[in-house]
C-alpha cells in the first residue's frame, strides 16, 4: 500500500501545512508505518470550525430533500470506491477483509438511510390555553457539530455522525482517531470529488489531547457527538462544560450474555463466539462476559472453547482468516494483563491465554476463562479483545442480578426458548439494548444508546436523528 501523507480537509480542500508534529500510522498486523497525519492544534481547529460555521446558514436554508441529495451523492461515491476503502480499513485497523467490505457498504447504506429522513423531520402543533393562539414546536439544526471518532469502526462512524448532522441542516467537523485516519483521508478525497458545498464537512487530524480537546472546548461547536471510551467521554464532558456544549456520548460496554438451560446451545455458542471475536473483540456491544446456567455450564463451556480454538487467526487481508490483530501493542498487552490477573485470582484458562507470535503483529489467541467472579477486573472492566470469562449461575434471577452489577449499561443478551424468561430479561436488564437469541449488530433504524456510564443520548433511527436538532417553540397570537 502506498504511504499516505496528507493534511486536514477544510472548506472543501486539503490544507497545505506540512510541518509541525506528525503522527505515524501503523499497520497492526506488522507494526510497520503506512502513513502519517498532522497533530493539529488550536489554529487549525479554529479554521475548520469557522469554515463549518460559514457554510451552515446556507446549508440549513436548503430544503432537506436537497441536502438528502448530497447524502446520496456521498453514498454513491462510497459504493464506487468501496474496494479501496475496505482495503484501507484492513490495512490500518486490522479488520478481516469481509468485515471491512461490510463496513464500507454499510456506511453507504447509512447515508442513504439518513437521506430518507429528509421528508420526515417533523415538529409539533400543540393546543394552547389561550383563545386564538397557535403553539408550534419546530425542530431546527443545532449549528456546527463536532464528530469525534474511535478507531474500531472508523469509516462507519463518519456516516453515523455526518448523516444525521447534515440531513437536519448542521455542518460538521470530524476528528478521526489518530490510530485510523487513512480511511478518512479517502473520504475527504471523495467529498472533494462531489459538489458538496465547501465547509459542510471538514476533517481535522490529530491526537485527542490536542485536536480533540481544542474541538470540544470550542465556543462555536453546538454539539459534540463522541464515540469512544468512558474515560474520554468523561474528559469531553469536562471540556464541554467550558461553553455548556451539548454532548452525545456513545461509550464503552461490558455486555453480559445469559445462557439458560432451555437455550438452543449450538445457537448460543455460535452467536457468543461470533460476538466475542468480531473485529478481534473490539466492538462496544460484543459479549464481554457470560452467565450460563449450572446444568449446562460444562457442555456450553466445552463447545465454546472448541469454537474459539478453531478460529483461524492471522493476516486480515488473507482469505479464510476469521480474526485479525488487535489495534496496537498497548492494546494487546492490556488484554494479556486481564488474563494474567484473572489467573492469579483463581480463574482457569480453558483455551488460549497467550499472544500469537506472527509477523510482529498484535495477535492474541481467542481465550475462554472459567472459575471467574465479579471481583476480577476481567468481569468488571471492558476487555475489548478476544477474551471471554464464563461464570455459572443457578438460574435467571442470579443471572439478571449479576449482569446488572456493573457501571456500564450499553447492551446485553439472553439465550432461551422460554418467552417468559426472555420478557423478564428485557424488563429487568438495566441496559440500553437486549438481544434475544442473537448477538450484535444493532440496526440502523433502531436506537443505539447506553445507560449509566455507557453514555448520554444515542444514535440511529428517529431518536438518533433528533439528537442533532434543537427545539424552537413559537407562540402565535391571532
Ligand atoms: P478513545 O476514547 O481512546 O478515543 C476516541 C476518540 O477520542 C479519538 O479520536 C481520540 O483522539 C479522542 N480523544 C481522546 N482524548 C480526548 C479528549 N480529551 N478530548 C477530545 N477527544 C479526545 O476510544 P477508542 O480507543 O478510539 O475506541 C474504543 C472505545 O470506544 C471502547 O471503549 C468502545 O467500547 C467505544 N465504542 C463505543 C461505541 C458505542 O456506540 N457505544 C462504538 C464504538 C466504540
Amino acid at each position: 500500500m502506498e504511504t499516505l501523507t496528507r493534511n486536514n480537509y477544510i472548506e472543501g480542500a486539503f490544507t497545505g501545512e506540512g510541518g509541525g508534529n506528525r503522527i505515524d500510522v501503523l499497520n497492526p498486523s506488522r507494526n510497520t508505518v503506512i502513513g502519517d497525519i498532522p497533530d493539529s492544534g488550536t489554529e487549525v481547529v479554529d479554521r475548520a470550525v469557522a469554515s463549518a460555521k460559514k457554510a451552515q446558514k446556507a446549508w440549513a436554508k436548503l430544503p432537506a430533500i436537497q441536502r438528502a441529495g448530497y447524502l446520496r451523492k456521498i453514498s454513491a461515491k462510497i459504493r464506487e470506491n468501496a474496494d479501496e476503502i475496505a482495503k484501507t480499513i484492513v490495512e490500518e485497523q486490522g479488520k478481516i477483509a469481509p468485515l471491512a467490505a461490510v463496513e464500507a457498504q454499510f456506511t453507504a447504506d447509512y447515508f442513504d438511510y439518513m437521506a430518507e429522513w429528509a421528508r420526515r423531520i417533523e415538529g409539533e402543533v400543540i393546543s394552547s390555553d389561550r383563545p386564538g393562539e397557535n403553539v408550534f414546536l419546530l425542530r431546527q439544526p443545532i449549528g456546527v457539530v463536532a464528530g469525534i471518532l474511535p478507531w474500531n469502526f472508523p469509516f462507519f462512524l463518519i456516516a453515523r455522525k455526518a448523516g444525521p448532522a447534515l440531513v437536519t441542516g448542521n455542518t460538521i467537523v470530524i476528528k478521526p482517531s489518530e490510530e485510523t485516519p487513512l480511511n478518512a483521508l479517502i473520504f475527504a478525497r471523495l467529498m472533494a470529488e462531489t459538489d458538496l458545498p465547501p465547509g459542510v464537512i471538514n476533517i481535522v487530524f490529530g491526537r485527542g489531547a490536542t485536536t480533540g480537546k481544542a474541538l470540544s472546548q470550542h465556543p462555536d461547536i453546538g454539539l459534540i457527538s463522541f464515540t469512544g471510551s468512558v474515560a474520554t467521554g468523561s474528559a469531553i464532558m469536562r471540556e464541554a462544560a467550558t461553553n455548556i456544549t451539548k454532548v452525545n456520548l456513545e461509550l464503552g460496554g461490558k455486555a453480559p450474555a445469559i445462557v439458560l438451560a432451555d437455550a438452543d446451545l449450538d445457537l448460543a455458542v455460535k452467536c457468543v463466539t461470533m460476538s466475542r471475536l468480531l473485529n478481534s473483540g473490539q466492538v462496544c456491544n460484543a459479549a464481554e462476559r457470560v452467565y450460563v446456567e449450572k446444568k449446562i455450564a460444562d457442555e456450553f463451556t466445552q463447545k465454546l472453547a472448541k469454537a474459539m480454538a478453531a478460529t483461524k487467526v492471522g493476516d486480515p487481508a488473507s482469505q479464510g482468516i476469521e480474526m485479525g490483530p488487535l489495534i496496537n501493542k498497548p492494546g494487546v498487552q492490556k488484554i494479556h494483563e486481564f488474563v494474567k490477573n484473572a489467573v492469579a485470582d483463581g480463574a482457569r484458562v480453558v483455551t488460549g491465554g497467550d499472544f500469537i507470535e506472527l509477523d510482529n503483529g498484535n495477535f492474541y489467541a481467542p481465550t475462554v476463562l472459567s472459575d471467574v467472579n465479579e471481583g476480577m477486573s476481567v468481569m468488571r472492566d471492558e476487555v475489548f479483545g478476544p477474551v471471554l470469562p464464563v461464570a455459572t449461575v443457578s438460574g435467571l434471577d442470579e443471572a439478571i442480578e449479576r449482569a446488572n452489577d456493573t457501571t456500564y449499561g450499553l447492551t446485553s443478551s439472553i439465550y432461551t426458548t422460554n418467552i417468559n424468561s426472555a420478557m423478564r430479561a428485557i424488563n429487568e436488564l438495566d441496559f440500553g439494548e437486549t438481544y434475544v437469541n442473537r448477538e450484535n449488530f444493532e440496526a440502523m433504524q433502531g436506537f443505539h444508546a447506553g445507560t449509566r456510564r455507557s453514555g448520554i443520548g444515542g444514535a440511529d433511527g428517529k431518536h438518533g436523528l433528533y439528537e442533532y436538532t434543537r427545539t424552537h417553540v413559537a407562540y402565535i397570537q391571532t
Side-chain angles (χ1 to χ4, degrees), residues 233-262:
S234 180
I236 285 179
M237 281 187 85
R238 288 192 292 275
E239 291 157 11
T242 319
N243 299 296
I244 322 288
T245 308
K246 180 180 172 182
V247 292
N248 172 286
L249 305 175
E250 301 287 327
L251 309 178
K254 186 70 190 165
I258 297 173
V259 184
L260 296 184
D262 60 25

Side-chain angles (χ1 to χ4, degrees), residues 148-152 160 175-178 206-209 212-213 216 226-230 232 235-236 239 250-253 284 382 384 410 448 454:
I148 302 181
L149 315 184
W151 47 261
N152 66 336
R160 211 181 216 175
K175 192 205 90 60
S177 167
E178 56 273 40
R207 297 187 202 283
K213 191 171 173 187
S216 303
F226 169 73
T227 302
S229 63
V230 173
T232 307
I236 285 179
E239 291 157 11
E250 301 287 327
L251 309 178
C284 61
E382 188 182 42
F384 227 53
L410 193 57
H448 183 55
S454 289

Side-chain angles (χ1 to χ4, degrees), residues 121-126 134-142 168 466 468-476:
I121 300 166
E122 294 175 350
E124 293 167 25
V125 181
I126 304 162
N134 292 301
V135 183
F136 294 158
L137 183 146
L138 306 145
R139 284 196 186 273
Q140 295 178 327
I142 294 172
T168 49
Y466 285 154
Y468 290 80
T469 62
R470 63 179 176 87
T471 55
H472 188 159
V473 178
Y475 299 87
I476 303 153

Side-chain angles (χ1 to χ4, degrees), residues 220-298:
D220 289 335
I221 294 292
L223 166 70
I224 305 165
S225 181
F226 169 73
T227 302
S229 63
V230 173
T232 307
S234 180
I236 285 179
M237 281 187 85
R238 288 192 292 275
E239 291 157 11
T242 319
N243 299 296
I244 322 288
T245 308
K246 180 180 172 182
V247 292
N248 172 286
L249 305 175
E250 301 287 327
L251 309 178
K254 186 70 190 165
I258 297 173
V259 184
L260 296 184
D262 60 25
D264 176 337
L265 217 55
D266 291 333
L267 176 81
V269 167
K270 185 169 148 235
C271 293
V272 169
T273 305
M274 184 282 286
S275 172
R276 178 67 292 187
L277 300 187
L278 189 77
N279 201 21
S280 309
Q282 305 165 123
V283 183
C284 61
N285 51 8
E288 280 262 335
R289 52 198 167 116
V290 176
Y291 295 101
V292 58
E293 209 169 334
K294 207 172 177 59
K295 281 178 240 174
I296 55 156
D298 283 346

